[in-house]
Amino acid sequence: MAMDVLRDAKALERAGRSIIHLELGEPGVAAPRRVREAAAESLRDGSIGYGEALGDAPLRARIARHYGERYGVDVTPDRVIVTTGSSGGFLLAFLAAFDPGARIAVTAPGYPAYANILSALGLEPVLLDVGEETRFAPTAAMLEAAHRARKLHGALFMSPANPTGAMIARDELARICAFCDEAEIILVSDEIYHGLEYEMRAETALRFSQRALVINSFSKYYAMTGWRLGWLVAPAELMRPLERLQQSLAICAPTLSQRAALAAFDAGDELEANRAAYARNRALLLDRLPKLGLDNFAPPDGAFYIYADISRFTDDSIGFCRRMLHEAGVATTPGLDFDPRRGAKTLRLSYAGPEADVREGVARLEAWLRR
């Protein structure tokens, strides 16, 4: 639905309307300068052919090194596969790890593409409702209860999460990993928003489990959405199946993007400046939204989202967001995109854009809500 909102917003802009975009989870900045320079150098070199299915060796080695530098976790390059964004990583992981009919636990609210991809592959998404009682994060006890009710084959969790921004606490993540290992549930940990944390540090599932499949991307923290590049860290026994799937489905991740991404790990100053800008936008929304009556939202620990309860205004989030777009010129995403059972009373706002846009968006919302 976020993409549908974007389509409608773009149509209004083409008609001459001024629209503030708070709907998309996309950094409002360009890829780091070092990345763009590395890409330009590769283009001047002119040799942009097929690469290895598992990814370019220098990039795989640098990703592996990243786990030691950031988390103090030892990962060897032979466990890393470079993918066409995190989306490509999910396809490879699901196909390699699960047989048709497997039941995979996912959270609601949660990233809608999870259930869509699982269903398209003949897998069954099992929705675990998370809310205020667990700070909108899954727990080991919740997972265990679902498994006892009917056997689970996998679990797919994101921390920090989309749409809520909520994070799984370190100790709880350890318990989840331990239960999954004990119950032979394959855990897929989506860590795409790592690096975008504000009050506590995100932890990788690889600290607690060597059986977990960990997916990350250059899209969010590294601001490289359109470069379509991510990675997957997997157990050794899955690497050959993953390689064969990659050979068949994509041949390789984009060569130009891989060469450029190698420079992203040396762009820390620019990337941290971006994170500081998101933090300012976050602080602005945390201050202003409660004054507009949007005072009940998930804990925005990380990422760049506010997932707000709008039940005092409506029980139709789709219609509410449509009216907001057409009447106030502010694009947001209805909660039904993320939670088919309870999302009619919620919406997601993204604060990944420029600070001036976020300020203007809040001003327009205030005027619209107080009409």
Side-chain angles (χ1 to χ4, degrees):
M1 292 184 190
M3 302 310 294
D4 290 343
V5 173
L6 176 65
R7 178 199 61 213
D8 294 344
K10 291 293 186 182
L12 289 173
E13 286 179 321
R14 288 192 296 272
R17 290 284 304 279
S18 167
I19 303 298
I20 298 296
H21 292 276
L22 304 181
E23 79 277 33
L24 282 188
E26 180 172 29
V29 294
R33 176 182 56 82
R34 288 175 181 266
V35 168
R36 288 176 278 132
E37 289 175 349
E41 180 61 31
S42 290
L43 286 173
R44 283 191 291 270
D45 175 64
S47 178
I48 311 294
Y50 288 136
E52 296 180 52
L54 290 174
D56 290 353
L59 183 56
R60 294 174 69 202
R62 187 62 186 88
I63 291 169
R65 188 176 123 204
H66 167 73
Y67 283 90
E69 293 173 347
R70 177 173 173 82
Y71 308 101
V73 172
D74 183 28
V75 172
T76 56
D78 61 358
R79 292 181 57 200
V80 176
I81 178 169
V82 183
T83 62
T84 52
S86 63
S87 300
F90 290 125
L91 285 171
L92 296 179
F94 298 163
L95 287 168
F98 302 115
D99 293 324
R103 305 179 72 248
I104 319 299
V106 296
T107 61
Y111 180 49
Y114 290 160
N116 296 342
I117 296 171
L118 290 169
S119 298
L121 295 178
L123 307 170
E124 181 184 348
V126 179
L127 299 184
L128 303 183
D129 291 332
V130 295
E132 295 179 12
E133 66 283 357
T134 63
R135 297 187 75 256
F136 285 85
T139 66
M142 181 185 302
L143 187 63
E144 183 175 0
H147 182 61
R148 285 179 174 171
R150 186 179 169 196
K151 179 180 174 60
L152 295 172
H153 302 90
L156 169 57
F157 297 145
M158 177 192 288
S159 177
N162 175 12
T164 62
M167 288 170 58
I168 303 173
R170 186 180 191 275
D171 291 347
E172 193 61 49
L173 180 60
R175 285 189 283 269
I176 288 172
C177 289
F179 175 72
C180 286
D181 285 353
E182 175 189 350
E184 298 185 342
I185 293 171
I186 297 174
L187 174 64
V188 181
S189 180
D190 182 351
E191 301 179 0
I192 187 174
Y193 290 101
H194 277 214
L196 299 177
E197 309 115 40
Y198 308 102
E199 296 183 5
M200 60 179 174
R201 190 173 176 84
E203 186 59 88
T204 178
L206 295 171
R207 178 175 298 283
F208 307 112
S209 173
Q210 294 303 303
R211 297 182 68 251
L213 285 81
V214 168
I215 292 175
N216 207 322
S217 171
F218 288 95
S219 291
K220 306 302 182 179
Y221 178 69
Y222 299 99
M224 295 176 63
T225 50
W227 301 69
R228 305 315 304 135
L229 201 68
W231 72 82
L232 169 62
V233 182
E237 62 269 20
L238 283 181
M239 290 305 296
R240 180 55 179 158
L242 287 166
E243 181 179 27
R244 293 165 69 185
L245 284 165
Q246 179 87 310
Q247 290 167 339
S248 299
L249 296 175
I251 300 178
C252 65
T255 299
L256 179 62
S257 297
Q258 291 192 68
R259 293 180 182 175
L262 195 58
F265 293 101
D266 297 321
D269 289 347
E270 189 173 346
L271 296 172
E272 282 302 294
N274 293 343
R275 191 185 69 84
Y278 302 145
R280 291 193 295 271
N281 288 344
R282 174 181 180 270
L284 170 66
L285 291 177
L286 293 183
D287 174 61
R288 295 288 299 280
L289 290 180
K291 299 173 184 176
L292 307 184
L294 298 170
D295 55 357
N296 185 13
F297 41 76
D301 302 319
F304 30 54
Y305 306 116
I306 299 287
Y307 190 67
D309 184 329
I310 55 172
S311 58
R312 70 173 57 184
F313 300 106
T314 186
D315 60 1
D316 174 15
S317 60
I318 294 177
F320 186 79
C321 290
R322 183 182 300 116
R323 293 195 305 275
M324 185 190 304
L325 173 62
H326 286 267
E327 297 171 11
V330 178
T332 58
T333 306
L336 273 175
D337 207 16
F338 311 102
D339 189 340
R341 294 196 282 249
R342 299 169 297 169
K345 299 180 180 181
T346 58
L347 62 73
R348 188 193 74 177
L349 301 96
S350 169
Y351 53 88
E355 183 176 350
D357 285 2
V358 175
R359 287 189 177 278
E360 174 63 17
V362 170
R364 293 186 186 188
L365 280 179
E366 180 175 15
W368 185 67
L369 290 172
R370 292 183 174 174
R371 288 187 313 173

